[in-house]
Amino acid sequence: MTSSNILDALDSAQDRHLAELIEWLKIPSVSSDSTRKTETAAAARWVADKLQASGLATETMCTDGHPLVLAETPAISGAPIALVYGHYDVQPAEPLEDWVSGAFEPTIRDGNLYARGATDDKGQVLTHIQSVCDWMATGQPLPLQIKFLIEGEEEVGSGNLERMMPSLRERLACDCVVISDSSQYAKNQPAITYGLRGIATYELKIQGPTQDLHSGSFGGAVMNPAIALCHLLSSMVDDGGRIQIDGYYDDVAPLSDAERAAWAKLPQSDKQFAKEVGVDALFGEAGFTTDERRWGRPTFDINGLTSGHQGEGVKTIIPATASAKISFRLVPHQDPKKLTESLERHIEKHLAVGVRASLKPDHGAPGMAADPESRYAKAAARAIESAFGTAPVMIREGGSIPIVIRFQDVLQCDCLLLGWGLSDDNTHSPNEKFCVQDYYRGIKASAMLWAELGKLNQA
Amino acid sequence: MTSSNILDALDSAQDRHLAELIEWLKIPSVSSDSTRKTETAAAARWVADKLQASGLATETMCTDGHPLVLAETPAISGAPIALVYGHYDVQPAEPLEDWVSGAFEPTIRDGNLYARGATDDKGQVLTHIQSVCDWMATGQPLPLQIKFLIEGEEEVGSGNLERMMPSLRERLACDCVVISDSSQYAKNQPAITYGLRGIATYELKIQGPTQDLHSGSFGGAVMNPAIALCHLLSSMVDDGGRIQIDGYYDDVAPLSDAERAAWAKLPQSDKQFAKEVGVDALFGEAGFTTDERRWGRPTFDINGLTSGHQGEGVKTIIPATASAKISFRLVPHQDPKKLTESLERHIEKHLAVGVRASLKPDHGAPGMAADPESRYAKAAARAIESAFGTAPVMIREGGSIPIVIRFQDVLQCDCLLLGWGLSDDNTHSPNEKFCVQDYYRGIKASAMLWAELGKLNQA
């Protein structure tokens, strides 16, 4: 079968593709909402039925939460295996009054399909399902085996899948994982994301006196826990955003000249970026561009501060406690466990006299970097270029997707993050949307990807 | 009349003195509680009736809130005038379940009278009322004129009295104000407080991006307002508690060798002090003792911190804003207005790039220092020594009583702070108490004070 045959078939099926996505989007599968359990199960059944009806061996597997949908095309001896990961659950739609059209009443305006889950992730994962099902419908064999793992708890942390991963190792065995749950670099500028930052989060609490003290009677004689906290947090990072914890940069994978050169070519305006987030000026570690700082450099952030009097007016106290939620974004080769140890030493060394500190690690995951020059990445680049008419740029992202790290760990496979969305898709906000043309182009790119990956076998 | 005559009269009236205090304490005059307006007015009437019945010219003056009670003994040409200031309103009694006996059911246990207001301030101000009324009952003239100003809004900030002060200037004209609303230095160690710290309070807010940002996508490229706040607050004070704002110490009145020597003789254990507040070690500006730090040195405290995510778990954001409630305790000659200007310059100089700061001053009052060697202080010391059997120590306090500064400003008078309470009297907590013996000794000391102040005239 030539590529053009399947591409023609996909072209002529666009109305059905759109109708099916709309059907799926009408199901309010909000995984965090216990009153939506039935609907969430219905969304799982919808996709399982679709895969089953197209001839894939399909199973709906129970978990302690929402079910996993597993499906696969026939094994092809000697051919590579691709595993498509996605999710059928969606974020809550609230605040409902901010939606122009109903969150679960998919509506097209200006070439975009508006609905909760349109891009995150029903619309995106459906591109791969459509391409596989339609390919199978042509009667021609796929040039590789494709497995699907569609979960229902991505928006609530993927806890059950993470726990079940080792037991699913053989079932999910593959050469590369394909995930479309992210964004293009910009409108009409597709991207392949080959790296993610890791994360380590903590709660840091400073305990001072047994109870709040009168700042008149005790001020100047008893260490103020909020001051101790500010001094301690300040000691962790300098004015220039450079982290001051001993050894923090030891394992940091340096950015390669090649990727720095590639990123430098991306269309990017610091001025525009600052305007979009509403600040007068950007900021960051000296010697790095904005994209380098966001994607390839480790960071420290304070996510929350709590101490003493927070209401109206004045309460002149030395607060008994002060606490901070803090997080670090890690780059490949940095180990969250090692960071915890360094952080504990740092606190011991820098803590003020007269207060006690406790550090509670929450969760940690290392960063991920795939090879942007791998044969899988190159195959994906060819597929995307032919569908979008533009070669994708190779980028990393600053966020962390712990499940991706788990795929790499457990399945020892490559990982392709192919985002069809746009950064203004409002994925966790009202008026989530997905550009209809990108949905169609995503389906084509997906089909071309199977063709390209299939060729690797023949090489 | 000899001192012994009035002292004998006071001795034989102890049962009545106690019964009257109990009667007054039963009236729940919680000034902050709008449902207690009737009771608060009743407490004003009780004291006005007592003064009126004893022959003082008495007036209950309306304010926008709770009334002022004004009373005075006859003017004596050429004799000094003392103004007794106190308050009939009390703090809320909540949490009620923590009281061993009812907050408004005065009960004696172990020589202490337990009730809300026992020491703050009904019990203490009543010592002066009893001494004056009983002196007048002897038929002998007082050796000076005594005025009373008993207000009902001390626990809610004295706002109405402050505003009315200039219009009351002539009415309240006096040589010295006498206030008993504080504590002895320790059990059986009375004290005269001749200095108070001033105060300046602010809310400092840092504004970053328009809304909370994803710390993965933006971390490292956009200044984190909570980090900017920590850096800024840290820059205001060093590890040793020394304030780093330009010019902050310029106007600070140094401690005299005499008062440092006097304070050094006070029985004081840093270890015991640390244990009482529940910290491992005390802390403070190098080169000063704990009492010097608390009473005679200016300080900086963070009273509250607020930013980003404060609930359970993790939210990996760059918060849009971060804010702090901060306060400075000032010593004599420091000007709150000048501090505001220095602070604004400091913020401008130290604020991180990419965020904006706003500083909102709340309230400010300068510190107060009276002359511990004044003839009024010496007269008070003689009176206290004769009533308590121990010479009072001369101390300052770290807290701020703005109304005292207003008295000094508007009335241009000396000020005697004579505390009969103890530091563990739970003045703003459940189980407030007043040692019954100290009530009786306070009444005697008050009578002796009138005798001693009267002698000044004759000198």
Side-chain angles (χ1 to χ4, degrees), chain A residues 18-131:
Chain A
L18 185 60
E20 286 177 348
L21 175 54
I22 287 171
E23 201 178 293
W24 202 17
L25 288 172
K26 284 182 178 169
I27 308 173
S29 47
V30 182
S31 52
S32 61
D33 184 346
S34 58
T35 70
R36 298 287 205 186
K37 246 187 135 159
T38 309
E39 290 91 335
T40 306
R45 201 163 51 247
W46 187 93
V47 71
D49 286 350
K50 165 84 184 158
L51 290 159
Q52 175 95 45
S54 301
L56 285 84
T58 305
E59 183 188 353
T60 301
M61 188 179 281
C62 291
T63 73
D64 287 345
H66 302 295
L68 298 176
V69 176
L70 291 147
E72 55 187 60
T73 62
I76 297 174
S77 175
I81 305 171
L83 169 67
V84 175
Y85 164 82
H87 61 96
Y88 61 83
D89 66 322
V90 301
Q91 279 276 316
E94 286 75 15
L96 299 177
E97 62 276 19
D98 289 352
W99 286 78
V100 174
S101 49
F104 300 105
E105 295 158 19
T107 305
I108 294 172
R109 286 193 301 278
D110 301 329
N112 294 308
L113 178 59
Y114 286 85
R116 172 57 83 228
T119 183
D120 179 17
D121 177 48
K122 285 172 177 167
Q124 292 206 66
V125 70
L126 195 55
T127 61
H128 301 295
I129 295 169
Q130 298 289 16
S131 72

Side-chain angles (χ1 to χ4, degrees), chain A residues 197 199 201-203 208-211 213-224 226-227 229-235 237-239 273 275-285 290 293-295 297 299-319 322-323 325 327 329 352-356 360 362-363 397-400, chain B residues 197 199 201-203 208-211 213-224 226-227 229-235 237-239 273 275-285 290 293-295 297 299-319 322-323 325 327 329 352-356 360 362-363 397-400:
Chain A
R197 291 198 287 193
I199 191 166
T201 67
Y202 304 88
E203 181 155 0
T210 317
Q211 54 189 352
L213 296 178
H214 190 292
S215 74
S217 308
F218 297 93
V222 175
M223 186 68 205
N224 183 312
I227 293 179
L229 180 69
C230 286
H231 273 303
L232 189 55
L233 293 171
S234 280
S235 74
V237 60
D238 72 10
D239 288 344
F273 188 95
K275 196 179 158 194
E276 274 166 22
V277 300
V279 297
D280 298 330
L282 296 183
F283 157 84
E285 201 182 359
T290 297
R293 291 167 180 165
R294 298 196 303 146
W295 300 341
R297 296 296 299 172
T299 59
F300 165 67
D301 271 298
I302 300 175
N303 312 119
L305 289 173
T306 306
S307 182
H309 180 57
Q310 304 192 51
E312 283 291 303
V314 171
K315 196 174 175 191
T316 47
I317 51 169
I318 298 174
S323 64
K325 310 259 188 186
S327 63
R329 296 286 168 172
V353 170
V355 292
R356 292 181 295 278
K360 197 178 107 198
D362 193 288
H363 70 268
E397 290 206 358
S400 313
Chain B
R197 291 197 287 193
I199 192 166
T201 68
Y202 303 89
E203 180 154 3
T210 317
Q211 54 188 352
L213 297 178
H214 191 292
S215 73
S217 307
F218 297 93
V222 175
M223 186 67 206
N224 183 312
I227 293 180
L229 180 67
C230 286
H231 274 302
L232 189 54
L233 293 172
S234 281
S235 74
V237 60
D238 73 10
D239 289 343
F273 188 95
K275 198 179 156 192
E276 276 167 20
V277 300
V279 298
D280 298 331
L282 295 183
F283 157 85
E285 201 183 358
T290 297
R293 290 167 179 165
R294 298 197 301 145
W295 300 341
R297 296 296 300 172
T299 60
F300 165 67
D301 271 298
I302 299 174
N303 312 119
L305 289 173
T306 306
S307 182
H309 180 56
Q310 304 193 52
E312 284 290 302
V314 172
K315 196 173 176 190
T316 47
I317 51 169
I318 297 174
S323 64
K325 309 258 189 185
S327 62
R329 295 285 169 173
V353 170
V355 291
R356 291 181 294 278
K360 198 178 105 198
D362 193 288
H363 69 269
E397 290 205 359
S400 314

Side-chain angles (χ1 to χ4, degrees), chain A residues 252-263:
Chain A
V252 165
L255 294 165
S256 74
D257 291 344
E259 65 191 340
R260 297 186 76 168
W263 295 353

